[in-house]
């Protein structure tokens, strides 16, 4: 018995078995037993940590100190990043929707592409806004537009959501200024220009295959309605035949709505490029960094929307406060589930499975671009975070490319293979999996059928393009 326990806790095959069992139990608890995902994630994470032999003090801390425990850092690490952003993004979406702005913008896109081209319109929305916005921020900002498009089009929410998140995922994995690709530039010694160029070359075919083709196909087969609570209800009038001050006004223009949505994009881009062009610690850079912090940028956008779309159109501060409270009601459970998912990924990472798997694969003697993809895939599946998979794989692969005199294009293609591997098979240990599930009203089974497959198609197609080009230029 003791030998078996040691094998499970100290060997790569044993850790793989332990990790696989925990994921299987989690899926069984959620899909078959119908246990609430937050509870199931919490129980499974604690059970895995204990089974892997992690010290109790590392799992939950001590009675005197728990701030550096896996439980608190797992929850706090992601919630500290997304809680404020989710809240502000939700409020911004609510005021855009209540004012009719989301409806106007979505209507313009759908008229431009037609009902049959709705997935393309949503995909381009994600692709364009995904360049300056992090993946999760993009979902928080754009999800209300997807709700409106699905409500107006009358089709499944999946048909509109998958192309949009496919665009966001592609830009997050393959293009600077996102942290993964930027890190690969430094680790592999490749310029951001080549990363951007090869990111588009490898990522666009994957986006078309996963976001447009797969998203449209699966959207016609997985039927998901837009819940009423996802759309903020219109305020009631004072009585029969009466209207509010905002109801008699025409809807805002597309230019105005685009300008409000563009506020956080411009501010975040300003901070990103400012850090590259301005002197460190200079006052202009400090200003740009402050204004370009996602939470601050979104707050500015929310305040602007409150004035331009609310107060200036006849709403009172009290009405705006009521709107804010209504829009934030569904956020609580979403935050708990995402935090528990991050805790699960943190526990898996702490077991050592990621590093053990990477060391085993690096000795396999495969071509460097294939090896880079496989290691990145293994790390992604094992611990959930795309960025962690990219940075860890980059550190492992960097010494392997030294002395081979690879061109900048070849190095960029190796970087793209790492990026492609980092998004494969998103599942229950990935915080993004739970964000997709909760924001688009998907069960765990439906999320696996739609989002997990989308990520895998995006990964495989993009890697195939990178490997094919590498064969010609290496």
């Amino acid at each position: 018995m003791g030998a078996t326990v040691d094998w499970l806790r100290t060997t790569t095959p044993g850790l793989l078995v332990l990790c696989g069992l925990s994921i299987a139990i989690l899926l069984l608890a959620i899909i078959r037993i119908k246990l609430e995902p937050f509870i199931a994630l919490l129980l499974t994470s604690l059970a895995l940590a204990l089974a892997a032999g992690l010290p109790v003090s590392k799992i939950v801390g001590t009675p005197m100190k728990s701030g550096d425990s896996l439980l608190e850092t797992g929850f706090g690490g992601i919630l500290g990043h997304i809680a404020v952003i989710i809240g502000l993004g939700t409020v911004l979406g609510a005021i855009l929707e209540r004012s009719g702005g989301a409806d106007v913008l979505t209507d313009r896109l759908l008229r431009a592409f037609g009902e049959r081209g709705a997935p393309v319109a949503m995909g381009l929305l994600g692709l364009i806004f995904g360049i300056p916005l992090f993946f999760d921020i993009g979902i928080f900002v754009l999800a209300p537009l997807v709700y409106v498009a699905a409500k107006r089009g009358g089709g499944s929410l999946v048909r509109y959501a998958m192309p949009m998140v496919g665009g966001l995922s592609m830009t997050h994995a393959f293009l600077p200024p996102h942290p993964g690709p930027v890190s690969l530039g430094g680790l592999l010694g490749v310029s951001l220009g080549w990363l951007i160029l090869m990111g588009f070359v490898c990522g666009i075919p994957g986006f078309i295959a996963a976001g447009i083709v797969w998203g449209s196909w699966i959207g016609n087969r997985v039927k998901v309605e837009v819940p009423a609570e996802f759309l903020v209800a219109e305020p009631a009038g004072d009585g029969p035949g009466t209207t509010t001050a905002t109801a008699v006004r025409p809807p805002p223009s597309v230019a105005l709505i685009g300008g409000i949505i563009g506020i956080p994009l411009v501010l975040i881009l300003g901070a990103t490029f400012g850090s590259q062009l301005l002197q460190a610690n200079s006052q202009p850079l400090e200003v740009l960094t402050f204004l370009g912090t996602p939470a601050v940028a979104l707050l500015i956008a929310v305040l602007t929307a409150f004035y331009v779309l609310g107060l200036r159109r006849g709403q009172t501060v009290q009405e705006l406060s009521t709107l804010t409270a209504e829009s934030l009601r569904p956020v609580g459970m979403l935050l708990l589930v995402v935090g528990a998912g991050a805790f699960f990924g943190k526990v898996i990472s702490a077991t050592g499975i990621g590093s053990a798997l990477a060391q085993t694969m690096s000795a396999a003697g495969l071509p460097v671009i294939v090896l880079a993809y496989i290691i990145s895939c293994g790390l992604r599946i094992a611990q959930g975070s795309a960025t962690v998979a990219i940075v860890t794989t980059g550190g492992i692969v960097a010494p392997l490319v030294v002395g081979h005199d690879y061109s900048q294009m070849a190095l960029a293609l190796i970087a793209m293979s790492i990026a492609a591997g980092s998004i494969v098979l998103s599942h229950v240990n990935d915080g993004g999996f739970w964000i997709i599930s909760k924001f688009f009203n998907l069960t765990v089974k439906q999320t696996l059928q739609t989002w997990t497959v989308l990520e895998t198609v995006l990964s495989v197609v993009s890697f195939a393009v990178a490997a094919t080009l590498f064969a010609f230029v290496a």
Side-chain angles (χ1 to χ4, degrees):
M1 183 66 178
T4 301
V5 172
D6 287 341
W7 179 79
L8 285 171
R9 293 177 174 179
T10 59
T11 68
T12 299
L15 287 169
L16 280 172
V17 168
L18 201 58
C19 182
L21 282 174
S22 67
I23 292 172
I25 291 171
L26 176 61
L27 292 174
L28 179 67
I30 296 173
I31 297 174
R32 300 298 295 273
I33 303 176
K34 307 297 184 184
L35 194 61
E36 169 59 44
F38 165 61
I39 301 298
L41 280 164
L42 195 56
L43 286 173
T44 306
S45 301
L46 292 171
L48 173 60
L50 293 171
L54 298 177
V56 171
S57 59
K58 185 173 184 178
I59 301 170
V60 296
T62 67
M64 301 299 295
K65 183 181 180 183
S66 60
D68 56 356
S69 67
L70 291 175
L71 182 62
E72 293 202 12
T73 57
F75 270 83
I78 191 167
L79 294 184
H81 171 62
I82 71 170
V84 176
I85 296 169
I86 285 180
L88 290 170
T90 300
V91 173
L92 179 60
I95 186 64
L96 289 174
E97 180 191 335
R98 175 65 63 82
S99 69
D103 194 50
V104 167
L105 185 56
T106 304
D107 183 63
R108 177 64 63 86
L109 278 172
L110 294 180
R111 275 193 290 145
F113 288 91
E115 181 54 35
R116 292 175 62 87
V120 178
M122 294 296 103
L124 289 176
L125 199 68
L127 200 65
I128 294 168
F129 287 157
I131 294 174
L133 291 179
F134 285 164
F135 175 78
D136 45 5
I137 302 173
I139 291 177
F140 309 149
V141 172
L142 299 179
L145 303 182
V146 177
Y147 304 155
V148 172
K151 199 70 174 176
R152 288 175 60 86
S156 171
L157 181 56
V158 174
R159 182 170 180 261
Y160 300 86
M162 288 302 112
M164 188 273 283
V165 296
L168 289 174
S169 181
M170 191 286 275
T171 54
H172 181 76
F174 293 98
L175 295 178
H178 294 282
V182 171
S183 299
L184 286 174
L187 289 168
L188 301 181
V190 57
S191 71
L192 292 184
W194 274 107
L195 286 174
I196 292 172
L197 180 60
M198 291 300 102
F200 278 113
V201 169
C202 298
I204 291 295
F207 160 70
I208 293 172
I212 305 301
V213 178
W214 168 255
S216 300
W217 186 86
I218 195 64
N220 292 325
R221 287 156 179 80
V222 177
K223 304 297 184 182
V224 178
E225 298 293 329
V226 183
E229 64 267 21
F230 281 26
L231 295 167
V232 179
E234 290 294 331
D238 296 329
T242 62
T243 57
T244 61
T246 55
V248 298
R249 288 182 177 272
S253 67
V254 171
L256 178 60
I257 297 303
I260 291 173
I261 294 176
I263 288 173
L265 308 185
V266 171
L267 292 175
I268 292 170
L269 272 178
T272 300
F273 290 114
S275 65
Q276 303 294 321
L277 301 175
L278 298 177
Q279 185 177 355
N281 300 320
S282 64
Q283 187 171 2
L285 179 58
E286 293 286 321
V287 173
L288 286 175
T289 300
F290 177 77
L291 296 177
T293 300
V296 176
L298 276 168
L299 178 60
I300 293 171
V302 167
L303 294 176
T304 302
F306 274 175
Y307 174 72
V308 175
L309 300 178
L311 298 176
R312 206 173 72 175
R313 292 167 61 85
Q315 284 189 292
T316 65
V317 173
Q318 184 177 0
E319 288 174 328
L320 292 173
S321 296
T322 301
L323 171 65
T324 300
E326 290 175 0
S327 66
L328 290 175
R329 283 197 190 105
V331 169
M333 183 54 72
L334 183 148
L335 291 175
L336 288 174
V337 172
V338 171
F343 174 44
F344 185 50
K346 197 85 169 178
V347 168
I348 290 178
S349 180
T351 64
I353 178 60
S355 57
L357 195 61
Q359 290 173 6
T360 300
M361 288 182 175
S362 64
L366 296 170
V368 65
I369 195 165
V370 177
L371 179 65
Y373 179 69
I374 293 175
I375 293 176
S376 185
C377 285
L379 289 169
R380 159 65 162 189
I381 295 169
Q383 53 78 45
S385 169
T387 301
V388 170
I390 286 176
V391 174
T392 305
T393 306
I396 294 169
V397 171
L400 303 180
V401 301
V402 175
H404 287 274
D405 198 28
Y406 288 124
S407 66
Q408 283 285 293
M409 182 177 178
L411 290 173
L413 290 169
I414 294 172
M416 292 305 102
S417 74
I418 295 173
S422 75
I423 55 174
V424 75
L425 207 65
S426 169
H427 63 94
V428 292
N429 66 349
D430 176 18
F433 178 94
W434 298 104
I435 292 175
I436 297 294
S437 174
K438 292 302 176 182
F439 259 85
F440 298 113
N441 196 35
L442 299 171
T443 66
V444 170
K445 182 179 179 180
Q446 289 171 332
T447 312
L448 290 168
Q449 291 173 327
T450 57
W451 164 249
T452 300
V453 177
L454 181 149
E455 285 284 80
T456 304
V457 172
L458 176 57
S459 169
V460 171
V461 172
S462 298
F463 169 68
V465 175
T468 301
L469 292 175
F470 186 80
F472 288 100
V473 303

